[in-house]
Amino acid sequence: MELSPQCSWVVEPNGHFLYISPKYQEAVGRSLHELQDAGWAQVLHPDYREKAYAAWAHSLRTGDIHDVDVPVWYVRFQEYRWTRCYAAPCRRADGAIVRWYGTVEDIHAPNAPKAIWTN
């Protein structure tokens, strides 16, 4: 069950997605297949794509924690919303990265009222 407002994802050391939360795929209107390779950057605001891609490439290359805020297109809202993308590597005892575990969280309006379920 995905109870957190954050959407999770798992990536191989080379950047290939193994898993992206179905909640995120629905939010951006793209499948896991469509988000592979540089497909994930296509949901970012064009003004931020190059910097976001460079930041992720840097983390993959160096093993540094990835923590960026970037506008992402959300199909449900039909707008770009500020989103925090965070990832940390999981390492073997020898320091080699075996996976990256990350989250994506809509931070556009963190103090907005929560939706109320109605029948």
Side-chain angles (χ1 to χ4, degrees), residues 28-91:
V28 298
R30 304 282 176 107
S31 69
L32 174 64
H33 176 74
E34 292 170 312
L35 293 167
Q36 286 294 358
D37 303 317
W40 60 268
Q42 299 308 306
V43 300
L44 306 182
H45 190 283
D47 293 347
Y48 293 84
R49 285 180 190 156
E50 189 174 322
K51 286 182 182 180
Y53 190 83
W56 179 232
H58 171 82
S59 291
L60 288 175
R61 188 175 59 256
T62 64
D64 290 347
I65 287 177
H66 182 73
D67 190 4
V68 298
D69 294 345
V70 63
V72 171
W73 181 258
Y74 283 78
V75 172
R76 176 181 175 197
F77 301 109
Q78 291 295 296
E79 69 178 359
Y80 288 98
R81 297 176 64 84
W82 282 100
T83 303
R84 180 179 186 215
C85 303
Y86 180 87
C90 177
R91 299 176 184 269

Side-chain angles (χ1 to χ4, degrees), residues 9-32:
W9 47 275
V10 181
V11 173
E12 292 180 309
N14 65 3
H16 181 82
F17 284 103
L18 296 173
Y19 172 82
I20 299 176
S21 165
K23 183 169 49 172
Y24 184 72
Q25 293 178 58
E26 181 181 342
V28 298
R30 304 282 176 107
S31 69
L32 174 64

